[in-house]
Amino acid sequence: GGVVRLTGFIVRGSLLIELVGAMLLAIVFVPEFGVGQGVWYSVFHSISAFCNAGFDLMGVRAPYSSLMAYAGNPVVSLTIAGLIVVGGIGFLTWEDIRTNGLHLRAYRLQSKVILCVTFVLIVLPAAYFYAFELSDALPVGERVLSALFQSITPRTAGFNTIDLTALSEVGQMVLVMLMLIGGSPGSTAGGMKTTTLAVLLANAAATFRQRDSAQFFGRRVDCSAVKTAATVLTMYLALFFGGGVFISVYE
């Protein structure tokens, strides 16, 4: 219901967010690249980040450099990361935020789950990258920005501000897991989806506690949702391992 109104909200919201992102990026890119190229780079990277596409034009600096030159730049790092998150939480979550503000109790169950899981998937990997993957020699500010950025971008965006080849095997596995999970339903992001992960974890918790069904915020999760989540996970794992086997055989 209300699909025309919702579509209009999505179009207006997307254009406004991308415009704000481009204006913020222009603060850095215009002085560096000149007005014409700087504006083009600002608009391109704002759209690419919001759409969780991960395409960048920074190969003009060095091949495959992505945004590594801006690891310590808060304007670029936080703007790109913010656009990725906003694009990845889903349009219905936007509508909840616009309609209900900070009254979280009034949010849809899906929006509550998405916001909680997104927060955890940002904070925990960021803490890991900060503590174990980034050099102690880095300034604290750059280390925090790099850890935060790298915890956000793997979930279908694809930018990077650190050298991914320098990560440990554990660090690279964390990236792979984040890529597998992806963004949220009804968003610009791909992947298995945060709600799928949440349903699977809730179902596991219910099993350990010997409850009949999974629950979120005191509400029962239908068995069909659990079956769907398990099917999606199985499909992704089959594609993941099947693709790995195919590549190994091909090589």
Side-chain angles (χ1 to χ4, degrees), residues 71 125-151 161-164 166-168 171:
Y128 168 78
F129 287 125
Y130 181 90
F132 300 107
E133 296 293 342
L134 298 178
S135 171
D136 294 337
L138 288 175
V140 175
E142 182 175 341
R143 193 174 174 187
V144 170
L145 285 174
S146 298
L148 181 64
F149 189 92
Q150 208 51 55
S151 72
T161 57
I162 61 177
D163 183 4
L164 300 183
L167 296 178
S168 67

Side-chain angles (χ1 to χ4, degrees), residues 31-223:
E32 183 175 354
F33 297 105
V35 176
Q37 190 174 11
V39 170
W40 163 238
Y41 275 28
S42 301
V43 172
F44 182 93
H45 289 93
S46 177
I47 295 173
S48 180
F50 176 77
C51 293
N52 279 238
F55 297 114
D56 69 81
L57 303 176
M58 294 304 167
V60 295
R61 292 180 169 277
Y64 314 112
S65 62
S66 191
L67 300 175
M68 292 173 61
Y70 303 98
N73 189 308
V75 175
V76 175
S77 294
L78 294 179
T79 298
I80 295 292
L83 288 167
I84 294 170
V85 172
V86 172
I89 61 174
F91 303 121
L92 292 178
T93 307
W94 291 7
E95 189 179 40
D96 260 341
I97 294 173
R98 183 193 66 165
T99 304
N100 301 304
L102 298 177
H103 301 289
L104 298 181
R105 292 179 179 274
Y107 282 24
R108 298 179 180 90
L109 178 61
Q110 175 174 294
S111 298
K112 295 177 184 178
V113 172
I114 287 172
L115 292 174
C116 289
V117 174
T118 299
F119 178 78
V120 172
L121 289 178
I122 291 174
V123 172
L124 292 186
Y128 168 78
F129 287 125
Y130 181 90
F132 300 107
E133 296 293 342
L134 298 178
S135 171
D136 294 337
L138 288 175
V140 175
E142 182 175 341
R143 193 174 174 187
V144 170
L145 285 174
S146 298
L148 181 64
F149 189 92
Q150 208 51 55
S151 72
I152 291 173
T153 186
R155 291 192 294 117
T156 78
F159 300 103
N160 61 283
T161 57
I162 61 177
D163 183 4
L164 300 183
T165 61
L167 296 178
S168 67
E169 290 186 0
V170 176
Q172 292 179 3
M173 183 56 65
V174 171
L175 292 183
V176 171
M177 292 174 63
L178 291 172
M179 293 175 188
L180 181 67
I181 295 168
S184 302
S187 72
T188 60
M192 187 178 72
K193 299 294 186 290
T194 54
T195 47
T196 301
L197 174 66
V199 168
L200 293 171
L201 293 178
N203 186 60
T207 301
F208 292 143
R209 300 173 69 178
Q210 296 185 336
R211 289 184 172 180
D212 293 334
S213 60
Q215 293 185 0
F216 290 124
F217 303 100
R219 295 178 61 182
R220 184 179 65 84
V221 178
D222 191 77
C223 291

